[in-house]
Amino acid sequence: MHLHILGICGTFMGGIAAIAKQLGFRVSGCDANVYPPMSTQLEQLGIELKQGYLPEHLQDQPDLVIVGNAMSRGNPMVEYVLDRNIPYTSGPQWLLDNVLKDRWVLAVSGTHGKTTTSSMLTWILEYAHMSPGYLIGGVPQNFSSSARLGESPFFVIEADEYDTAFFDKRSKFVHYRPRTLVINNMEFDHADIFNNLADIQRQFHHLIRMVPSNGLILSPQSEQAVSETLAMGCWTPTEFSIKDSKHQPGWHAEKLAADGSEFIVRFYDSQGQGEVQGTVKWDLIGDFNIDNALMAIAAARHAGVPAKVAIEALGQFINTKRRLELRGTVNDIRVYDDFAHHPTAIAKTLDGLRAHVGNGRILAVLEPRSNTMKQGIHKDLLASSLIKADEIFILQSEQVLWSANELAFSEQQSCRVATEVDRLVELVAKQARPGDTVLIMSNGGFGGFHDKLLQALA
């Protein structure tokens, strides 16, 4: 059977392609931009790639077209498929029909931490010799690819709330039907498709309705929006990670290192009886990664992995690329890359980095790139989210509908704004000095900023 995938070079659709190939399908695909590393990964799998959305790509008519959620009406290939009545479906629906319906699905959802927690959970199951299938929306460094079919009933999936396709406006995750569901957090994001937080909570409520009574839902107890959503109806047992309260049932962490690189894990049962499960010692930093780890440990336990084994596994976990990834050190100036693009994620990333570097200077570089950020939905929270940085640099692209010069930073901070990447590189390179840490935050390529800055510093 021949599948053709529209938008194949996105991480999710590329993962679909890899899994379809492992199932024995003939797979081809096209995208507006066919380039490494995804193009290389797909070509090595024997997948035919074509540049652009040209109807002639479909002249060798496939049996089924899988339509990525970046495709919309007016796209030449979409119109060709509809006019000729070629069978089509969405990526999430195809995944359910061909893979997930027969698996124990462990889905990791939430506004922040999905990719990292999914990667942690997949690695724990792999470490425990459970050979899980997985599809992760990033580059997990404990594995050679971002997706595989796996050799066991278990399948880990990063469960995104973004819509499914131009013909299916439900969130992607409603197609996954998890038995184990992690909800890391819930905030307003994706302003291009949601009007408010209540819209997002409604989609999560639909997801919760699908989790069976022999399943498990996991979340930090401190997340109010998650608690409100669970209160809309929940038919599944729940477990929580707990902050502050010592003996409340659930998962607890006690930091041994201020930056979160070492912490004790405890679990208290419904009778308030607590037991130390072990101590995580790893290369990651930040309280947010401790939260991610507790969710991954708890989810793996539901699938049969003892917490002690999960903790051992995390000691060998390599963080996903672009999650506080050290891209290089030049003249004692450290340059980190991070995917943060929401004020909460920015603040948590800076909190972790501040605990790690102590009093050292942090230069924060931000590209407001998501639709929500470009529209200025969260701009009033941006200054406070950057409070732990000493110097701030912002790219003011033409698509950003507000002025970075209007942000009210503290008197101890300076903010420099540029309209071009190369100019922003110059500004950062001029201010950086030995001992500094540069944190670059964007959910895109940022015009090659990272490599340009390392070259400029050298």
Side-chain angles (χ1 to χ4, degrees), residues 285-331:
I285 59 173
D287 289 0
F288 61 99
N289 274 323
I290 294 177
D291 294 338
N292 294 338
L294 292 178
M295 290 292 97
I297 292 166
R301 179 174 176 262
H302 187 230
V305 180
K308 288 180 171 58
V309 174
I311 288 165
E312 284 178 18
L314 290 177
Q316 297 181 30
F317 177 69
I318 306 169
N319 203 359
T320 316
K321 288 189 76 66
R322 306 212 59 203
R323 271 65 180 179
L324 261 181
E325 179 188 0
L326 182 62
R327 288 288 297 268
T329 302
V330 178
N331 299 326

Side-chain angles (χ1 to χ4, degrees), residues 321-327 335-339 438-442 444 450:
K321 288 189 76 66
R322 306 212 59 203
R323 271 65 180 179
L324 261 181
E325 179 188 0
L326 182 62
R327 288 288 297 268
V335 177
Y336 283 90
D337 179 20
D338 196 84
F339 200 70
V438 180
L439 172 63
I440 302 164
M441 293 175 284
S442 170
H450 314 77

